[in-house]
Amino acid sequence: MINESLLDKALGAYLGFACGDALGATVEFMSPKQIQRRYGVHRDIIGGGWLALEPGQVTDDTQMSLTLGQAIIDHRGWNPIAVADGFLEWFESDPPDIGNTCRRGLERYRKTGELLGPPREDDAGNGACMRNLPVVLATIKRPDYFIEWSLQQSRITHNHPISDAATLALGCITGQLLNGQTVDACYRVAENLISEYPEFAYCPYPGESSAYIVDTVQTVLHCFFNNEDFESCLTATVNQGGDADTTGALAGMLAGARYGVQNIPKRWLNRLDFTVSDTIHAQTPVLIDIAQCL
C-alpha cells in the first residue's frame, strides 16, 4: 500500500521536474536582461526557444529521466547495462537536444561497451545530476542503494568529483523532502556539500546559471531556499536564463517534493505534453513500490 502523502510528493517532484524543463526551455541560453526585454517575467509554458519546441514539449532532461525510470521498472531494480542501453537507444532516436558530455559518453559506450569513462575535467556538467530523480524514487528506503545507483548512472557519461557530489546532494535533499523531513535538514545537506566543495557556496548568489554543475546548483539552491511556494521558486529559477531547462527541472523537482503535486499550477500541468504526463503518472507509483520492496 503506497502512502498517499509520499505519492503526492513524488508526483510533485516528477511532474514539477517536467514542468520546469518545459518552462525553462523557452528561455534557455538567454540572459536575464534578454528575458526581461522579451517577456517581462517569463511564467507560462509557451514552447519556442532555440529548439523551437511545441508548448509543453520537454528536452533531454525529462527524456533521459524517463528512460532511466523505465530501465529500473523493467528490471524491478538496478541493471546498469539496461540503463546505458536505454540511454543509447534514446540517443539514437535523434532527440531534439543532447549535451556534449552525454553525447561523448554514449558514443564511448556504443563503441566500447564501457559503463565508466576515465575522469575528465570537462565532465563537470549537469547532465548526470539532471536525470537522477528515478533513482531517488526507487531507493528512498535504501540510502546505500541510492549512492551506488546514482554514481553508476552518472558515470556512464560524467566522471568528475563535483558532478558526483552535486548529484548525491540534490538527490539526498529530494529524498529527505519525500520522506517528510524539514527544510532545515535540506540546509544541512547543502552546508555539507559546501563544506567539502566550497565552490558550491550560493550566498551571496553569484548570478550564473550555466550548464557547469556549480552554476546550476548555486541557482537551484538559491531559488529553492529563497521562495515560499512552487510557482515563485520555478519562476525565479528560469528567469535567470542560462541552462534554464535544467535549472528549472531541478528546482521543480525540489519544490515539487516540498510542496506536493497539488501546489503545482494547473495551467502548467495542463500544458505539459500529455504523453510525458501519462508516463510520469505511470512510472511514479511503480518506482515507489520498487523502493518498498528493496
Side-chain angles (χ1 to χ4, degrees):
M1 191 73 177
I2 295 177
N3 180 284
E4 288 301 317
S5 175
L6 173 58
L7 181 59
D8 175 72
K9 290 177 178 293
L11 280 171
Y14 217 156
L15 289 168
F17 180 95
C19 285
D21 182 0
L23 183 70
T26 303
V27 294
E28 187 180 11
F29 301 137
M30 296 176 69
S31 70
K33 288 184 177 179
Q34 289 172 327
I35 295 170
Q36 186 177 35
R37 282 197 299 267
R38 182 162 182 179
Y39 299 106
V41 176
H42 175 56
R43 59 174 76 252
D44 291 305
I45 294 176
I46 56 174
W50 76 279
L51 291 170
L53 300 178
E54 294 296 321
Q57 190 177 353
V58 296
T59 73
D60 53 334
D61 300 66
T62 304
Q63 291 173 347
M64 293 193 82
S65 298
L66 294 174
T67 299
L68 175 55
Q70 196 59 51
I72 295 171
I73 289 169
D74 288 345
H75 290 269
R76 294 293 300 181
W78 191 242
N79 184 321
I81 294 175
V83 172
D85 285 345
F87 288 160
L88 184 59
E89 182 179 357
W90 167 79
F91 172 48
E92 293 177 340
S93 73
D94 192 27
D97 183 32
I98 180 170
N100 290 333
T101 307
C102 287
R103 180 188 300 276
R104 183 174 63 235
L106 294 176
E107 287 176 341
R108 184 205 70 245
Y109 175 69
R110 179 168 58 189
K111 182 179 179 180
T112 69
E114 295 174 353
L115 294 168
L116 171 66
R120 291 177 58 121
E121 279 303 311
D122 56 353
D123 274 8
N126 57 22
C129 183
M130 77 183 187
R131 63 182 185 237
N132 200 48
L133 177 57
V135 168
V136 178
L137 296 178
T139 61
I140 52 175
K141 304 298 181 184
R142 291 295 301 266
D144 52 339
Y145 285 5
F146 162 70
I147 294 172
E148 178 186 357
W149 296 12
S150 295
L151 293 179
Q152 286 186 7
Q153 76 82 8
S154 294
R155 290 175 180 171
I156 294 170
T157 56
H158 291 65
N159 190 355
H160 195 287
I162 65 171
S163 172
D164 291 346
T167 301
L168 294 177
L170 290 193
C172 182
I173 290 173
T174 305
Q176 289 183 325
L177 293 166
L178 293 172
N179 281 314
Q181 296 197 42
T182 67
V183 175
D184 286 343
C186 301
Y187 273 117
R188 287 193 289 274
V189 175
E191 288 167 358
N192 289 339
L193 173 66
I194 294 165
S195 175
E196 186 172 2
Y197 297 98
E199 55 263 50
F200 283 108
Y202 60 91
C203 186
Y205 174 52
E208 300 294 333
S209 54
S210 75
Y212 175 43
I213 190 61
V214 170
D215 294 344
T216 295
V217 169
Q218 288 173 334
T219 296
V220 170
L221 293 180
H222 168 75
C223 294
F224 175 68
F225 286 130
N226 287 283
N227 289 278
E228 296 300 323
D229 61 76
F230 183 93
E231 182 169 358
S232 64
C233 174
L234 204 51
T235 301
T237 303
V238 301
N239 279 273
Q240 290 298 324
D243 198 23
D245 59 332
T246 300
T247 58
L250 291 170
M253 174 182 76
L254 296 185
R258 180 178 181 181
Y259 301 111
V261 71
Q262 302 301 321
N263 288 295
I264 300 177
K266 293 294 188 291
R267 73 181 193 280
W268 288 349
L269 291 172
N270 292 339
R271 200 66 158 158
L272 194 61
D273 181 285
F274 72 90
T275 303
V276 170
S277 180
D278 286 351
T279 304
I280 289 172
H281 276 97
Q283 283 192 6
T284 302
V286 182
L287 291 168
I288 293 174
D289 182 65
I290 290 170
Q292 293 177 335
C293 294
L294 286 177

